[in-house]
Amino acid sequence: MQQATALLNNIFGYPEFRPGQAEVIEQVLAQRDTLVLMPTGGGKSLCYQIPALVLPGLSIVVSPLISLMKDQVDALNAYGVEAAYINSNLSSEQLVQVFRAMQEGRLKLVYVAPERLMKLDFIERLHHLDISLIAVDEAHCVSHWGHDFRKDYRLLGQLKNQFPHVPMLGLTATADLATRADIVQQLNLNQPFVFKGSFDRPNIRYNQVTKYKATEQVIQFVKQQEGSGIIYCNSRKKVDDLTLALARQGVNCAGYHAGLEGSVRDSIQRDFIQDKIDIIVATVAFGMGIDKSNVRFVVHFDLPRSIESYYQEIGRAGRDGMPAEALLLYDEKDAARIRQWIASGENEERNEVELQKFAAMEAFGEAQTCRRQILLNYFAEYSAGQCQNCDICLDPPKAFDGTIVALKVLSCVLRLEQQVASQYLIDVLRGKQLKRIIELQHDKLSTYGIGKEQSDAYWHNIINQLIHRGLLRVDITQHSVLKLTEAARPILRQTQDIELAVPRLTIDLSKKKQVAEQAYDRALFAKLKHLRKSIAEQDDVPPFVVFSDASLADMAAKCPQSSRDFLAVSGVGQTKLERYGPRFIEAISRHLN
């Protein structure tokens, strides 16, 4: 670990590990299988990059996207780390060069796609090398319960049989309880150390508005923002229409979807990463693995299909830790259409999982309690406090003593033996004369009809709030039945009160806005960004590979004028000091003079 800390300081330029990184690295260095759950921007990459540098042999990193591999390798090379990638973009000559470097022990990390890794000839090649670690990035792709399930990932479970003594590390930013258990099983992890970091991204402010004249709403929002952004739509036509509307308003933007030629998509993505395009309007085909740290906002023109997708997509904003915005446009009609699309899928079992995941996303959109709390609770990180950085906290709905209402719901769940989904529970609460209720004699329960004075929509909202507050959970592995949690016990015993939000139909769009003032020289920051861009163009790398926005802000705050002071800037290691230090120190000195 001393060596790991020295590498963190000297190569990557950080004075100390972020929460969880040291624990994970220690377990990996002890040759233990590990599962890491950390938010996007939480520092997952260092959890395998640093062990790869400490361990004697070669580390293999399984990565799902070509763009992610290239960006990660560019960034590592900028730090002076010997790394390479293998994918379909390499020529035969380039591939031979990488294989030779692997054979000669000149590489510490090799990134590879799962379909290439699992080919017999590639596995055979690895058996002749000293493999120290296998890291599986975006590990949720292996799980049937995951929001981004990929068949190629399922084969990765065979790796443990091929390399039983090599530690395996799975990493993901998005996995609920069912997905986590499935990842461990599918990857054949042997009694793994599981690290679950906080899913909180406090620098992102969550906003939601009711969708009304959506294009105008987006244009108005975008004009209030600075820097890069991503806008997600659920169809190619919407992407094309919105891109055109924004361009007509003078916005520097481009559309991205699967209907475009591969070379065009690659060009657009590269221009966005290199800050030549400010805003990308895209379908969900865009973004997985986009390692661009200075995205300042993400807009969802349409509802995502799961909380995991939403969390992963908004996670592309503010990866440098600086303030960022997330905006969701919510429309119940959109929700109904998406439910219909999901239900029409061919795989019934998969449909049921996706419908339940979408129901959780709908509940988030309809919520009247702190949005950050809902997101964290979905990932089993129960949070009692409110965040003061979402539209609900900044413009709170009215609260009421919900103890009796909560007791009605929880008692009914208990009397139905925790074996029914929410709509059936509501039908019993409202005393509906349905055939199934009468056949099962649930009309004889003491809780039958005790909620008849309120509507279905009212009870849906209350149930969702109880789920968000961690008193109920939805078990998607058992047909989405409602289960009581330990936190429900004091409510059922009537030893604790609970406050809930009064359901409301409209949202106040004139929300107060909290702006986090950064203590740094804005004029100097702009000059440093300009210098960074010119260096990035010369080196043909994305600007963030030179330095992140957070590093530039730290420079603009500390104004270092010597090599020693420059090393104290966050994200500046020895290699970056030698490579870029003199030019940035000169720019800072000129500005100060």
Side-chain angles (χ1 to χ4, degrees), residues 95-106:
L95 191 58
V96 168
Q97 287 175 351
V98 175
F99 282 151
R100 187 179 296 128
M102 289 167 66
Q103 198 71 41
E104 293 171 359
R106 288 188 279 117

Side-chain angles (χ1 to χ4, degrees), residues 21-244:
Q21 286 178 328
E23 293 168 65
V24 170
I25 290 166
E26 196 166 10
Q27 295 294 326
V28 174
L29 292 177
Q31 308 286 297
R32 188 172 176 187
D33 287 352
T34 304
L35 175 62
V36 177
L37 302 123
M38 270 186 192
T40 305
K44 290 190 297 297
S45 299
L46 285 180
C47 290
Y48 61 80
Q49 289 170 349
I50 285 184
L53 296 177
V54 174
L55 294 168
L58 174 68
S59 292
I60 301 295
V61 184
V62 185
S63 180
L65 286 183
I66 289 171
S67 61
L68 175 60
M69 294 181 202
K70 185 176 186 325
D71 289 342
Q72 291 268 28
V73 169
D74 281 346
L76 284 168
N77 291 342
Y79 282 117
V81 175
E82 294 297 326
Y85 58 85
I86 294 173
N87 61 41
S88 55
N89 279 2
L90 295 184
S91 66
S92 300
E93 189 181 333
Q94 289 172 315
L95 191 58
V96 168
Q97 287 175 351
V98 175
F99 282 151
R100 187 179 296 128
M102 289 167 66
Q103 198 71 41
E104 293 171 359
R106 288 188 279 117
L107 294 174
K108 293 303 292 178
L109 293 108
V110 170
Y111 289 74
V112 61
E115 57 273 20
R116 172 65 72 114
L117 173 61
M118 297 313 297
K119 285 184 176 173
L120 288 175
D121 63 329
F122 198 89
I123 294 286
E124 185 60 31
R125 188 181 294 275
L126 293 184
H127 275 297
H128 292 94
L129 300 173
D130 178 16
I131 304 299
S132 294
L133 172 67
I134 298 171
V136 180
D137 207 1
E138 309 292 354
H140 59 272
C141 294
V142 79
S143 172
H144 171 76
W145 302 111
H147 70 288
D148 199 20
F149 171 60
R150 298 185 178 204
K151 287 183 180 176
D152 291 327
Y153 261 65
R154 268 285 157 97
L155 299 172
L156 296 174
Q158 298 169 20
L159 286 172
K160 205 63 194 167
N161 300 327
Q162 294 283 344
F163 304 96
H165 303 300
V166 175
M168 185 176 276
L169 174 63
L171 307 105
T172 180
T174 48
D176 57 15
L177 291 170
T179 307
R180 290 172 210 172
D182 202 27
I183 291 170
V184 171
Q185 184 180 349
Q186 295 301 332
L187 290 179
N188 287 324
L189 301 183
N190 180 26
Q191 296 183 321
F193 169 71
V194 178
F195 176 80
K196 176 178 165 288
S198 172
F199 281 80
D200 192 11
R201 297 284 307 282
N203 60 313
I204 300 177
R205 177 166 54 227
Y206 303 115
N207 300 294
Q208 187 230 293
V209 295
T210 301
K211 200 171 182 179
Y212 175 72
K213 296 186 177 178
T215 301
E216 291 177 21
Q217 287 174 302
V218 170
I219 290 169
Q220 183 186 12
F221 177 80
V222 164
K223 286 188 171 180
Q224 295 172 344
Q225 304 304 313
E226 293 179 7
S228 296
I230 305 171
I231 303 169
Y232 284 107
C233 305
N234 65 10
S235 77
R236 297 176 189 180
K237 186 177 186 309
K238 287 182 184 177
V239 167
D240 293 338
D241 291 348
L242 185 57
T243 304
L244 185 61

